[in-house]
Structures are given as C-alpha cells and as structure tokens.
C-alpha cells in the first residue's frame, strides 16, 4: 500500500514540476518585457503579479490610491516614487524612514515591488507604511508598469 501511495505522490510531484517548467519561460519573458528587468526561473505567490504585462495607463489610475501619502516628484507622508527602480529601500536623502525599511536590504525592481505591494507589513515587518497592500496581481503589474515609465524631473531622481 505504501508503495502505491509513494508512486502517486511521485507522479503528482512530477506533474507539478512539469507544469512549472512549462510556465516558467513565459512568466520570465513577461516580466522582462513588461519591466525591462531580466529574470530567471519560475516565481510563485506575490511575484507572479509582476510577471503579467502591465498596463501603465491603468497603473496611473491605480496610483491615485497612493496619492494619499505619496507623490512622484516630492516627498509627502511617504517618499517620492520617481527614481524608484534601482534605488535601495530607505534611500531617499532626508526622508524619515522606519528602521525596518532602512535595514530591509531591498533594492526596488519589478519583483521586489510586487512582493512589497502584495503585503507591505509581511515583506518588511516594522515598516511604518500602514497599507494593507494590493491583493490583485493584475493591479500590481499595472502599477509597477506605470512606475517604471513615470516621467521624473532631475531633482526627483536623487537618492539612488
């Protein structure tokens, strides 16, 4: 009996691995195309949102939710978002970040943004960003695409 159960488990594991292998190249290509950030291997969970080709126009609409605390060009309750890609978390000079964010070691890219936007408090425990996150992977992909294409002035890009 245990041999039968073991073979069924092995068959299911093989099928799951096969499905992941089939999906991984398309998923990685979608991330690279949408964001210009090359990725390797399959991603799951929160990172899956960054894999769909984002719609920057819809992302701009979604960014309206962020405007309560953030702006592209200047700091508000939260730091500015221009120059976000490639910047270390906690890296805008003069902004009063939480110690948790400064110590997080995150460098913002499509994958790290997707993970953070899905669950800010879970990704950086102790962050002062009191936002529950964006559960919808499509909305996260759209927002990330918008942030990647947002036009910024030279002053807004300081802090990389």
């Amino acid at each position: 009996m245990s041999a039968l159960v073991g073979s069924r488990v092995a068959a299911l594991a093989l099928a799951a691995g096969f499905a992941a292998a089939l999906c991984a190249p398309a998923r990685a290509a979608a991330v690279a195309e949408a964001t210009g950030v090359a990725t390797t291997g399959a991603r799951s969970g929160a990172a899956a949102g960054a894999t769909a080709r984002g719609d920057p126009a819809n992302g701009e609409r979604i960014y309206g939710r962020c405007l309560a605390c953030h702006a592209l060009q200047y700091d508000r309750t939260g730091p500015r978002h221009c120059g976000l890609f490639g910047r270390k978390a906690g890296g805008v000079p003069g902004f009063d970040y939480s110690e948790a964010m400064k110590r997080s070691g995150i460098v913002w890219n499509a994958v790290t943004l997707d993970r953070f936007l899905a669950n800010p408090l879970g990704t950086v425990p102790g962050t002062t960003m009191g936002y529950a996150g964006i559960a919808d992977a499509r909305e996260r992909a759209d927002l990330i695409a918008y942030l990647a294409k947002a036009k910024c002035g030279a002053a807004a890009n300081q802090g990389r």
Side-chain angles (χ1 to χ4, degrees):
M1 182 73 159
S2 67
L4 180 59
V5 171
S7 65
R8 284 185 181 165
V9 170
L12 289 172
L14 181 62
F18 183 66
L22 288 176
C23 295
R27 200 178 280 173
V31 172
E33 184 178 350
T35 64
V37 177
T39 63
T40 58
R43 302 252 192 267
S44 62
T51 63
R53 182 179 180 89
D55 175 5
N58 191 48
E60 183 173 13
R61 183 188 61 77
I62 294 165
Y63 189 73
R65 299 178 206 164
C66 307
L67 291 173
C69 297
H70 294 275
L72 288 174
Q73 299 285 346
Y74 54 90
D75 299 336
R76 298 185 68 200
T77 302
R80 72 192 81 132
H81 284 144
C82 277
L84 186 63
F85 282 78
R87 184 167 72 206
K88 286 180 63 175
V92 172
F95 188 82
D96 187 24
Y97 288 96
S98 66
E99 286 302 314
M101 187 61 75
K102 289 189 272 188
R103 288 190 314 260
S104 70
I106 293 172
V107 175
W108 297 118
N109 60 46
V111 174
T112 58
L113 271 172
D114 184 66
R115 185 174 59 234
F116 182 76
L117 291 170
N119 185 1
L121 299 171
T123 303
V124 182
T127 183
T128 55
M129 183 169 148
Y131 182 68
I134 301 172
D136 185 273
R138 175 95 239 144
E139 287 187 350
R140 290 193 313 271
D142 291 350
L143 179 57
I144 291 166
Y146 169 69
L147 289 170
K149 293 180 184 270
K151 301 295 182 211
C152 303
N157 285 319
Q158 293 177 353
R160 283 185 168 256

